[in-house]
Structures are given as C-alpha cells and as structure tokens.
Amino acid sequence: MDDRPKILIIDDEEVVLDSCAQIVEGSHYQAVTASDGTLGLKLVQELQPDLIFVDLKMPGVSGFEVLEKVNEIDPTIVTVVITGYATVSSAVEAMKKGAYDFLPKPFTPDEFRLITRRGLEKRRLELETIALRREKEMLREHFAAIVSHELRAPLNAVQQNLFVFDQELSGKLTEDQKARLERIKSRIDDLLKLVRSWLRVVSVDMGKLKEGFAPVSVIASISKAIESVEPYAVRKDIEIVISINDRLRPIEGDSVTLTEALVNIIGNAVKYSYEGSKVLVRAEEKADHILITVSDTGAGIPREDLPHLFEGFYRGKSGQAVEEGHGLGLALSRRIIEAHNGTISVESELGAGSTFVVSLPALRAQPTPQGG
Ligand code: ADP
C-alpha cells in the first residue's frame, strides 16, 4: 500500500492541474486531480486526502462549497485555496471558513512545494494531537480501571481479616482501641466503595446493555429510585414531591441501570439539599421524549464546576463540602443515559438550587412494559 501523504488538487483549469501534478511527480507525496467540485468531493470521500488545494472560482460546485463539505466530512483535512490576485479578499474569506492558507495564481513550483510542505506538517501535527488526546483518554480510563481491579482483592482481604480480628478481640480491647479499629474499618469500607464505583463506571458494558433493551416504564423506574433514596431523605427531613403524568409512554431500555442512574441523580438532590427542604421529581412527555426533571433548592453548583460534573472523579465545591462521595455517580449516570440514546443536562444557581433534566426518546408503539 502506498502510504505517502495524499494531495488532492481541484481546479477547472487543466494547465493548473497538469503543472501541480508535474511538480509533485517523483516527490514523497502522491497527487490526485479533479477538474470540478463534484468529482473533487467524491475523491475526498474515497481517498481521504491529507491536503487539498481547491480553486475558489469554478463553475458548478464552488470552492467555498467544497471547503464547507470537506469540513463536514473530516475537519482535520488541511485545505489551501488557489486564487487569482484579484480575489485575495475571497481567499481571506475562505480562511475564515477554515482554509489553512491560500496560493495566489500564478505560482512557481517552489511556492507550491513550500505550501505543500507546510500544509502536510500542519496535518501531521493535527493527527498527532488527536492521537495523543485519545491516548490520554484511554490511559485515564484504563489506569483507573487497572488500579481499581488490582486494589480490590487486597482490600477485600484486609476487610475480611479485620472482621476476624474484631471477633477474636471482642471484649479484650479498651474503648480507645475499639474506636481506632472502627475508624480503620470505616476507611477500608470507603476505599472498597470507591474501587467498586469506579469499576462500575468503566465496566458497564454499554453494547451488551443495549442487546437486552426492552420496553421500560419510566414511572416504575422513578418509583424504585425514590424508594431507595427515601430513607436518606427521611433522615434529613426532606420531602420528595412527585409530579408524574401517569399516561407516559414507555421507553426502550434497561430498567435496572436506568433506576441506578435515577438513584444517583435523586440521591444527589437529597445529599446537596438543606434539612427540611423539598426535592421535586417530575416526569412529562414533550416532543416524543420523556423528560425527567429533578430539582432541589440546595447548595447549587458554581458555574465553573458545571462543565466537569459528568467527567468522573470530579467533585464540585458542593461535593467537597460534604464528606460522602467520589465524584463518580454522575459520570456513570451519563454513560447509562447516553446508552439509552438520551441526554442529561443541568442548570443551577449557586445558593438557590439545581435542576437536572434527563431526556429519553419515548417508544412509538405501546407494547406491555417490563415490570420496572
Ligand atoms: P459525588 O456526589 O459523589 O461527589 P457525583 O458524580 O454524583 O459525585 O456529582 C459530582 C459533583 O456534582 C458533586 O461533587 C457535586 O459537587 C455536584 N452535584 C451533583 N448534584 C448536585 C446537586 N443536586 N446540587 C449541588 N451539587 C451537585
């Protein structure tokens, strides 16, 4: 396979195409030419070139249209516009549209070579940046997964031994020693919880989950989630107010993970609310979607925290103020909701409260839903 960088030249003037092809011949690049925009775009799809030279003024599909389409197909492809002296202003316009550079006609072979070298260097850097970003992302996920996995077994062993130790020493420890042992146990419990949560975030196999999708009653999932959060709410004297249209259509999904996501969101609303306040859970249908809204009048979230809440291991100001939690609940919830072709968003005002909205596509037909 020829893995030399590919250059595509799109121009309606034969003489330009020929001279460019001649300059490139025998070089480290391979060149393909197209005499109009339509053919050019077809070649972009087929060949995925690294660099495209495109004439701005062509009959039929214009250079501007080519630029726009290339940007849609693959924005990392570097584009250079070829233009006559009289149209430098449109070249500037093209650069505003994402073209990397422009080459005024007539140009010398050296000018063409220089711009080609620079364009390909830009493409190389761009691809390298994308690869590095991807690698960083993979490392972040895998590193945490590997560490969590490796930590789980020894932590389980420590927990088990502590349990035996506690039994054997029962009645022989001073109050102070007992308190210290309790602290050790609780720290180990916390660590194990963290390890399990992280493994859960990275191990929910979304592909597999989708294979088992069936009609799910959103009302049943919300009820189950509230049931599980209720004891916590009672302890904080928080009332969970429910407002649900009971004729909601079902959605296509997995009731267990969907309930898990809702437990996280409703649980957070309770966790970050003040004692004696209310949390509102609403479900309604809008534009073929089921919207589940969870609002609280609690601590709220500073604007700078908002973009990071769903990233994993991120605890906002409100999170840091309470002890419990590892900043993983919303990351897992988002993965689950996105696997359901849904979205999750948040609006919040510091000191006034937060509103999380989950939107899930409603099922068109009305088969009998899963028990929830
Ligand atoms: P955790 O609650 O364990 O820290 P999450 O992933 O569930 O982790 O949430 C991430 C962060 O988002 C929290 O640390 C907190 O700062 C913020 N947050 C989430 N829900 C709310 C809420 N209802 N009110 C205020 N802050 C919230």
Side-chain angles (χ1 to χ4, degrees):
M1 206 180 86
D2 191 345
D3 54 6
R4 288 176 302 164
K6 279 176 246 155
I7 305 169
L8 171 64
I9 305 137
I10 311 171
D11 200 313
D12 61 321
E13 283 185 65
E14 280 295 320
V15 55
V16 175
L17 294 182
D18 287 347
S19 59
C20 290
Q22 255 180 22
I23 300 168
V24 171
E25 215 176 71
S27 71
H28 306 301
Y29 325 123
Q30 37 179 329
V32 183
T33 57
S35 53
D36 62 62
T38 312
L39 176 60
L41 284 171
K42 193 165 157 267
L43 289 173
V44 174
Q45 301 265 22
E46 281 170 18
L47 303 174
Q48 291 168 319
D50 297 282
L51 174 63
I52 300 175
F53 285 90
V54 57
D55 185 14
L56 276 186
K57 269 200 169 165
M58 291 185 293
V61 177
S62 75
F64 281 112
E65 283 170 81
V66 171
L67 278 181
E68 261 166 31
K69 286 268 158 46
V70 169
N71 217 11
E72 280 167 27
I73 296 168
D74 179 354
T76 67
I77 297 178
V78 178
T79 45
V80 174
V81 293
I82 306 175
T83 175
Y85 275 127
T87 55
V88 168
S89 63
S90 51
V92 173
E93 200 51 41
M95 287 171 76
K96 279 192 202 151
K97 278 195 185 322
Y100 167 63
D101 208 343
F102 70 96
L103 183 62
K105 279 189 214 174
F107 50 84
T108 65
D110 276 346
E111 282 166 346
F112 183 81
R113 280 192 203 102
L114 180 70
I115 234 169
T116 299
R117 256 205 314 277
R118 283 182 29 203
L120 288 173
E121 177 63 6
K122 152 104 174 135
R123 163 80 166 164
R124 190 185 66 76
L125 288 174
E126 207 139 295
L127 292 181
E128 215 171 87
T129 310
I130 292 170
L132 279 173
R133 208 175 291 145
R134 207 171 287 148
E135 200 174 312
K136 187 177 142 206
E137 197 53 39
M138 296 241 315
L139 254 176
R140 199 174 75 99
E141 280 211 353
H142 289 152
F143 177 74
I146 291 164
V147 172
S148 308
H149 198 258
E150 295 301 309
L151 280 177
R152 193 166 52 164
L155 280 174
N156 271 325
V158 172
Q159 194 184 44
Q160 187 59 32
N161 276 304
L162 271 175
F163 181 72
V164 176
F165 200 45
D166 197 13
Q167 305 254 306
E168 285 173 357
L169 291 178
S170 121
K172 294 181 197 152
L173 296 178
T174 63
E175 284 308 309
D176 186 43
Q177 286 170 327
K178 258 194 240 164
R180 248 182 291 161
L181 193 59
E182 280 312 311
R183 277 208 297 279
I184 296 174
K185 275 164 50 184
S186 127
R187 286 297 159 97
I188 295 288
D189 283 351
D190 279 354
L191 260 177
L192 265 168
K193 253 188 233 156
L194 166 65
V195 163
R196 285 191 197 120
S197 308
W198 182 246
L199 279 175
R200 182 104 188 94
V201 174
V202 290
S203 70
V204 180
D205 184 339
M206 297 301 164
K208 240 201 189 126
L209 199 67
K210 284 185 180 181
E211 282 169 23
F213 272 11
V216 171
S217 151
V218 177
I219 304 176
S221 283
I222 294 177
S223 306
K224 281 199 167 179
I226 291 179
E227 220 173 87
S228 120
V229 175
E230 191 75 51
Y232 185 28
V234 168
R235 253 180 282 144
K236 282 184 79 175
D237 187 27
I238 288 172
E239 186 188 351
I240 302 180
V241 182
I242 306 161
S243 157
I244 297 181
N245 174 344
D246 57 11
R247 289 219 298 270
L248 286 185
R249 273 186 287 172
I251 60 132
E252 175 101 312
D254 170 72
S255 64
V256 175
T257 49
L258 190 65
T259 306
E260 187 177 354
L262 293 173
V263 166
N264 287 334
I265 299 161
I266 303 170
N268 275 347
V270 172
K271 178 157 75 171
Y272 298 109
S273 279
Y274 303 113
E275 290 201 0
S277 62
K278 286 185 180 147
V279 164
L280 177 66
V281 180
R282 266 166 57 134
E284 64 203 310
E285 203 174 307
K286 255 189 204 161
D288 281 337
H289 280 73
I290 309 292
L291 300 187
I292 307 168
T293 312
V294 179
S295 321
D296 63 66
T297 53
I301 304 164
R303 193 181 287 260
E304 65 269 22
D305 284 342
L306 290 174
H308 308 290
L309 296 187
F310 303 98
E311 282 175 1
F313 281 124
Y314 190 87
R315 305 206 71 206
K317 275 216 177 69
S318 45
Q320 288 158 26
V322 299
E323 252 177 52
E324 265 167 82
H326 306 292
L328 292 171
L330 288 180
L332 178 60
S333 303
R334 183 175 72 171
R335 284 197 70 193
I336 293 172
I337 290 158
E338 287 180 352
H340 283 78
N341 295 320
T343 56
I344 176 165
S345 57
V346 55
E347 277 181 19
S348 185
E349 201 180 316
L350 200 57
S354 313
T355 297
F356 284 79
V357 181
V358 174
S359 167
L360 297 158
L363 256 187
R364 287 200 170 273
Q366 281 232 304
T368 327
Q370 252 180 33

